[in-house]
């Protein structure tokens, strides 16, 4: 069984690597000059991490970045028993000493929980466990089971003080899966900058962040995945410099049963995968942690409420794709996103402001 899983994972990785080369390299020509380049593709934080950097210290920057992402996984993963998050979850009621990093990410997750009136909820753990999406045990739970665990889903049951954090009672579980990858991408940017590397690209399972321009001096051209066709199939291109482009979609982890599609972004109110008529939401902004939380929030809120929410935050833009394959852009993205998928319709001239 394990071998089969491993084999599956490898094939999966290979497919992603091949297809992402098409997306990314197809878009930037090497200038041919003797610029040092480095690249890595690894499976970390339960997802594929792809990084490329160009410049004198490219190699060390990539190496350190990958180590840093592993460190963050080691601190914040819910599946690693020794992680700080597991320590908190396994000791209800007890304040656990945690690192500054975990402290920061929990504090940010609580900030976004408040900001979204609980649409983003870092205490979603029991619901994630119950559905088991992305595991061999994925199944549709009964309404009674959902109600039973929903009682524990409330971010007010997480407390932080100084360098300690706790869950207030048995059954409450922190899950930072909707925000930690964004934090990791931001940390990679710090490492890249520390080494004065002028040009870098990182993709942590859909959390893309770019530093500077591509190696040939043109903007990075980031492919937005076709949410129906899986990795490597692009339906839009965004040109970007020094930004993060983060997508939450119903295709990242899911299973199907009786013709229904059950995915891994939950509405904390119902305990069901959010069903708002969306296939994906992409957020474009400066900080990847913000974009990670905001893409989850916008997805759970749906098009109208989600777009309004995003438009109210300065320097944050969004692209929503609906089940009808309509593409809706926030005001700052007009002319920035190029739709390349022939089945997608760009809806223009909308106003979500009021
Ligand atoms: P992806 O993992 O595809 O990047 P997201 O950033 O949207 O997608 O994160 C989904 C993950 O976030 C889930 O696997 C789960 O761990 C967690 N999660 C799911 N629903 C919520 C929610 N409403 N609030 C906070 N975290 C969530
Ligand atoms: Mg997210």
């Amino acid at each position: 069984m394990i071998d089969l899983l491993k084999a599956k994972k490898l094939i999966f990785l290979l497919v992603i690597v091949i297809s992402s080369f098409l997306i990314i390299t197809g878009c930037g020509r090497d200038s041919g000059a003797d610029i040092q380049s480095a690249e890595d593709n690894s499976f970390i934080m339960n997802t594929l991490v792809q990084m490329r950097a160009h410049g004198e210290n490219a190699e060390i920057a990539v190496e350190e970045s990958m180590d840093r992402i592993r460190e963050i996984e080691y601190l914040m993963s819910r599946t690693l028993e020794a992680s700080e998050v597991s320590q908190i979850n396994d000791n209800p009621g007890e304040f656990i000493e945690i690192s500054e990093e975990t402290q920061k990410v929990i504090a940010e997750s609580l900030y976004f929980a408040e900001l979204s009136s609980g649409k983003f909820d870092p205490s979603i753990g029991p619901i994630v466990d119950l559905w088991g999406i992305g595991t061999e045990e994925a199944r549709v739970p009964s309404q009674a089971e959902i109600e039973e665990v929903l009682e524990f889903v409330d971010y007010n049951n997480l407390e932080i003080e100084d360098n300690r954090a706790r869950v207030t009672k048995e059954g409450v579980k922190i899950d930072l899966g909707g925000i930690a990858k964004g934090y990791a991408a931001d940390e990679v940017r710090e490492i890249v900058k520390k080494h004065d590397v002028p040009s870098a690209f990182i993709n942590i399972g859909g959390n893309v962040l770019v530093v500077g321009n591509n190696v040939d001096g043109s903007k990075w051209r980031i492919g937005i995945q076709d949410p129906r066709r899986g990795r490597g199939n692009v339906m839009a291109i965004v040109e970007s410099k020094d930004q993060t482009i983060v997508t939450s979609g119903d295709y990242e982890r899911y299973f199907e049963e009786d013709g229904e599609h059950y995915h891994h972004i939950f509405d904390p109110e119902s305990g069901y995968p959010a069903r708002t008529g969306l296939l994906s939401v992409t957020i474009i902004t400066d900080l990847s942690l913000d974009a990670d939380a905001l893409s989850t929030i916008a997805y759970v809120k749906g098009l109208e409420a989600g777009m309004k929410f995003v438009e109210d935050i300065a320097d944050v833009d969004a692209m929503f794709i609906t089940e009808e394959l309509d593409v809706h852009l926030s005001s700052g993205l007009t002319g920035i996103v190029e739709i390349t998928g022939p089945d997608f319709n760009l809806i223009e001239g909308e106003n979500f402001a009021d």
Side-chain angles (χ1 to χ4, degrees):
M1 189 60 112
I2 289 172
D3 279 342
L4 187 69
L5 267 178
K6 267 194 189 152
K8 265 195 201 162
K9 210 175 248 182
L10 264 179
I11 294 169
F12 169 73
L13 279 181
L14 216 64
V15 173
I16 311 175
V17 172
I18 292 169
S19 48
S20 52
F21 271 122
L22 290 179
I23 310 174
I24 302 152
T25 32
C27 304
R29 281 168 302 279
D30 221 299
S31 59
D34 53 335
I35 299 171
Q36 276 184 33
S37 291
E39 176 167 344
D40 198 342
N41 301 288
S42 301
F43 199 81
I44 321 174
M45 296 182 100
N46 269 322
T47 196
L48 183 71
V49 178
Q50 307 163 282
M51 182 168 181
R52 283 171 57 196
H54 307 284
E56 207 175 316
N57 299 319
E59 203 161 319
I60 179 87
V62 169
E63 206 175 296
E64 262 184 43
S65 295
M66 291 300 191
D67 286 349
R68 184 78 186 106
I69 300 168
R70 283 191 189 92
E71 261 170 40
I72 293 168
E73 176 179 34
Y74 186 74
L75 293 173
M76 301 178 202
S77 160
R78 216 153 71 76
T79 45
L80 298 178
E81 231 172 273
S83 77
E84 292 183 339
V85 165
S86 293
Q87 291 301 306
I88 297 168
N89 286 342
D90 294 344
N91 295 284
E94 206 179 301
F95 273 104
I96 304 291
E97 237 176 77
I98 50 173
S99 60
E100 240 175 75
E101 296 101 299
T102 307
Q103 169 88 2
K104 179 192 157 75
V105 176
I106 295 177
E108 291 277 2
S109 74
L110 291 174
Y111 167 79
F112 282 104
E114 283 284 340
L115 190 72
S116 65
S117 312
K119 292 294 182 202
F120 188 87
D121 194 323
S123 72
I124 198 76
I127 285 289
V128 173
D129 290 343
L130 184 62
W131 285 82
I133 291 170
T135 73
E136 299 277 295
E137 278 88 46
R139 67 182 180 97
V140 182
S142 70
Q143 187 62 33
E145 286 176 294
I146 291 175
E147 275 164 26
E148 200 177 309
V149 305
L150 265 186
E151 185 193 326
F152 302 107
V153 177
D154 177 351
Y155 61 92
N156 290 305
N157 292 330
L158 311 186
E159 291 177 355
I160 45 175
E161 59 172 44
D162 306 322
N163 59 342
R164 310 185 312 157
R166 70 166 183 169
V167 295
T168 54
K169 58 181 175 188
E170 175 106 45
V172 180
K173 305 271 181 215
I174 303 186
D175 182 319
L176 300 177
I179 196 166
K181 293 195 289 283
Y183 173 70
D186 287 331
E187 286 292 289
V188 167
R189 172 182 32 228
E190 294 309 306
I191 291 166
V192 166
K193 297 238 156 162
K194 181 184 83 183
H195 288 292
D196 289 323
V197 172
S199 168
F201 165 97
I202 178 97
N203 180 3
I204 309 179
N207 274 67
V208 172
L209 182 144
V210 294
V211 176
N213 282 318
N214 203 338
V215 63
D216 64 0
S218 66
K219 282 192 173 177
W220 290 97
R221 287 168 60 78
I222 307 302
I224 307 293
Q225 191 181 314
D226 181 335
R228 302 158 312 155
R229 297 225 168 99
R231 296 202 195 240
N233 294 289
V234 167
M235 54 66 64
I237 305 270
V238 181
E239 291 206 335
S240 184
K241 179 189 175 193
D242 290 317
Q243 270 184 322
T244 187
I245 298 109
V246 173
T247 304
S248 279
D250 72 354
Y251 53 83
E252 197 67 43
R253 287 177 215 281
Y254 67 91
F255 71 98
E256 265 156 12
E257 196 176 294
D258 300 330
E260 289 285 337
H261 184 97
Y262 298 99
H263 60 84
H264 74 316
I265 305 169
F266 294 101
D267 183 339
E269 223 166 288
S270 67
Y272 273 82
R275 197 161 280 151
T276 48
L278 293 175
L279 295 180
S280 72
V281 178
T282 300
I283 299 284
I284 304 181
T285 187
D286 295 334
L287 289 176
S288 207
L289 179 143
D290 293 0
D292 201 357
L294 291 172
S295 65
T296 306
I297 293 168
Y299 191 95
V300 176
K301 278 184 173 281
L303 174 62
E304 298 233 343
M307 191 66 98
K308 183 170 168 10
F309 185 79
V310 167
E311 292 278 24
D312 283 345
I313 309 174
D315 301 321
V316 174
D317 275 298
M319 173 169 102
F320 290 69
I321 304 177
T322 68
E323 285 167 355
E324 294 79 39
L325 305 187
D326 289 341
V327 180
H328 302 261
L329 302 177
S330 65
S331 46
L333 287 186
T334 323
I336 309 263
V337 175
E338 180 193 337
I339 311 284
T340 54
D343 325 335
F344 292 85
N345 324 299
L346 180 60
I347 309 295
E348 287 174 290
E350 292 173 297
N351 185 6
F352 291 92
D354 34 89

